[in-house]
Amino acid sequence: MRKPTAARAAEVFSLRALQAAALRSARGKRHRASVARFLLELEPRLVALRDALQSGTWQPSTGTEMNVRDPKPRVISVPSFADRVVHQALAQVLGPRLDRRLITDTYASRIGRGTHAAMRRARSWARTYRFAVHLDAVQYFPSIDHRLLLDQLGRDTPEPFLRALCARIVGASLRGRTLHFPGDDLFSPLAHRVGLPLGSFTSQLFANRYLDPVDHLAKDRLRVRPYLRYMDDLLLFGDDARELAATARTLEQACWELRLRMHPWEVRPTRAGVGFVGYRVVNGHVRVRRSTVARAERGLARIVAQAERGEREPHEVWDALRSTFAHWDHADTWRLKGRLLARLHLLWPSP
């Protein structure tokens, strides 16, 4: 027997659940002033959050916007720490539901998946098939349609209070741009609210769910076994170039129905190389993209220069190197690492 809404809300947003969400949100961020203040007043803040969430009066605050270049210019919206606690608590309930419906070969924002697992899958299929197509959306997060997303989430969320909470979080994210699609009239885009902010934990979950219908179209209806997705990057393989192009056009049309526009694409032979999630597979070997290498080198050079001026501690240099090399370890990068260390004057000379 299903619990009454009030009892279910009290269970999902109990003090214990919110405390666990706060501790997860604070990992690696306890030195930040906003996080320290929240943790110093943890009990009264959690009580206030619990009461607002259980009564349905909680409203998201305005996030702090930051301009970053990684590698292209983006606007990151950093939610307040209290909002991150709410997002974490919601994800504990909603995340497993969304994960159960996703296909195996969707790799973003999932435990046990990630970029390295996606790259290994792509490498395996690049060795097996003659051709590949890479589809990716134009400005994916700013283009996500609120109504279509909430319809999807409504099918996964029978509880009215959770549907209302998702609607408040999504509704506070009006920041995208509307485009014309086949079947639209002149004023159709004005009727659509679009956009999710980069930097929000729930945005990652919602965006991963949004393209799930395209995944199931590829796997269940079109029976494309060599298909995988990482967020809005779709990669499919085949031995027949014409058949692969027809499949890609069908998937692109399905993305149009979700009001997503894809970048220009073409069928390419796998022997020419397949780029995906920051790597490039060429003749069975995995390489790090040149743009990724150049960006890492610039960042590390800046950290080394700051350490030489006394603005950073030496261990920060090695921490940055370990982080970079951990990512590169999933590719064939032995010589690349040596060249980088030599450029940064960090390589010991041979005796």
Side-chain angles (χ1 to χ4, degrees):
M1 184 176 179
R2 185 173 293 174
K3 293 182 179 180
T5 297
R8 180 66 177 142
E11 177 184 320
V12 171
F13 298 123
S14 65
L15 279 179
R16 177 171 293 183
L18 291 176
Q19 182 183 29
L23 295 179
R24 287 194 301 274
S25 300
R27 286 175 186 165
K29 304 181 183 70
R30 290 174 178 265
H31 63 283
R32 298 182 184 177
S34 60
V35 179
R37 282 195 299 269
F38 191 99
L39 296 179
L40 186 63
E41 305 167 352
L42 185 61
E43 185 174 353
R45 286 179 179 257
L46 291 183
V47 169
L49 267 184
R50 179 201 62 185
D51 294 344
L53 288 166
Q54 292 184 5
S55 64
T57 59
W58 177 84
Q59 293 292 336
S61 59
T62 303
T64 302
E65 292 193 347
M66 300 171 56
N67 293 306
V68 299
R69 191 176 184 88
D70 186 28
K72 55 189 177 183
R74 301 176 188 270
V75 178
I76 304 293
S77 179
V78 182
S80 68
F81 186 76
D83 283 11
R84 290 204 294 270
V85 173
V86 175
H87 294 172
Q88 281 282 352
L90 175 62
Q92 281 297 107
V93 180
L94 201 55
R97 298 180 186 181
L98 301 184
D99 193 76
R100 280 195 296 269
R101 71 167 296 112
L102 296 176
I103 65 170
T104 301
D105 285 310
T106 288
Y107 289 86
S109 302
R110 302 180 72 186
I111 297 174
R113 300 294 199 276
T115 57
H116 301 140
M119 180 274 298
R120 289 193 294 270
R121 190 67 150 165
R123 178 179 59 186
S124 174
W125 281 335
R127 290 171 171 172
T128 306
Y129 295 94
R130 295 176 57 201
F131 300 100
V133 173
H134 180 203
L135 304 175
D136 64 308
V138 176
Q139 294 192 352
Y140 180 52
F141 278 74
S143 301
I144 291 175
D145 185 277
H146 291 188
R147 179 182 59 81
L148 296 177
L149 173 62
L150 290 174
D151 286 347
Q152 293 178 354
L153 295 175
R155 292 192 288 272
D156 304 321
T157 313
E159 300 91 340
F161 73 96
L162 286 180
R163 289 201 300 270
L165 179 58
C166 290
R168 282 195 291 274
I169 292 174
V170 172
S173 306
L174 183 61
R175 60 186 61 247
R177 62 171 190 162
T178 55
L179 301 171
H180 281 86
F181 287 87
D184 283 356
D185 58 32
L186 180 62
F187 299 104
S188 289
L190 300 178
H192 294 267
R193 294 169 61 91
V194 299
L196 292 179
L198 286 167
S200 167
F201 187 51
T202 50
S203 291
Q204 299 289 325
L205 289 178
F206 296 163
N208 210 23
R209 169 66 173 89
Y210 193 67
L211 274 169
D212 178 66
V214 179
D215 293 345
H216 285 282
L217 169 64
K219 290 284 193 178
D220 302 338
R221 291 173 53 191
L222 301 179
R223 301 292 183 181
V224 184
R225 175 180 171 272
Y227 165 91
L228 70 158
R229 175 170 69 88
Y230 190 92
M231 198 55 76
D232 63 312
D233 286 299
L234 287 60
L235 188 61
L236 54 155
F237 297 84
D239 287 323
D240 187 309
R242 290 186 178 181
E243 182 179 332
L244 190 59
T247 301
R249 283 192 292 271
T250 301
L251 296 182
E252 184 176 33
Q253 185 174 359
C255 291
W256 288 349
E257 294 173 4
L258 292 173
R259 303 191 68 80
L260 296 175
R261 184 168 294 173
M262 312 306 284
H263 284 106
W265 54 269
E266 61 179 339
V267 177
R268 297 176 59 86
T270 52
R271 67 174 181 274
V274 178
F276 197 58
V277 295
Y279 297 96
R280 189 166 184 81
V281 181
V282 183
N283 295 326
H285 298 285
V286 180
R287 302 174 181 174
V288 182
R289 280 181 176 170
R290 291 181 181 178
S291 59
T292 303
V293 173
R295 188 166 64 253
E297 185 172 342
R298 288 193 300 269
L300 288 168
R302 184 170 57 251
I303 293 173
V304 169
Q306 290 171 344
E308 289 175 346
R309 295 193 300 265
E311 298 172 5
R312 284 180 180 266
E313 295 296 325
H315 72 83
E316 295 183 76
V317 175
W318 303 116
D319 289 345
L321 273 173
R322 277 194 293 268
S323 176
T324 299
F325 285 0
H327 179 64
W328 290 5
D329 280 343
H330 295 268
D332 305 311
T333 54
W334 174 258
R335 293 182 180 177
L336 177 62
K337 293 175 184 176
R339 288 197 298 267
L340 175 64
L341 291 173
R343 290 194 192 103
L344 297 175
H345 306 290
L346 297 174
L347 189 65
W348 288 99
S350 300

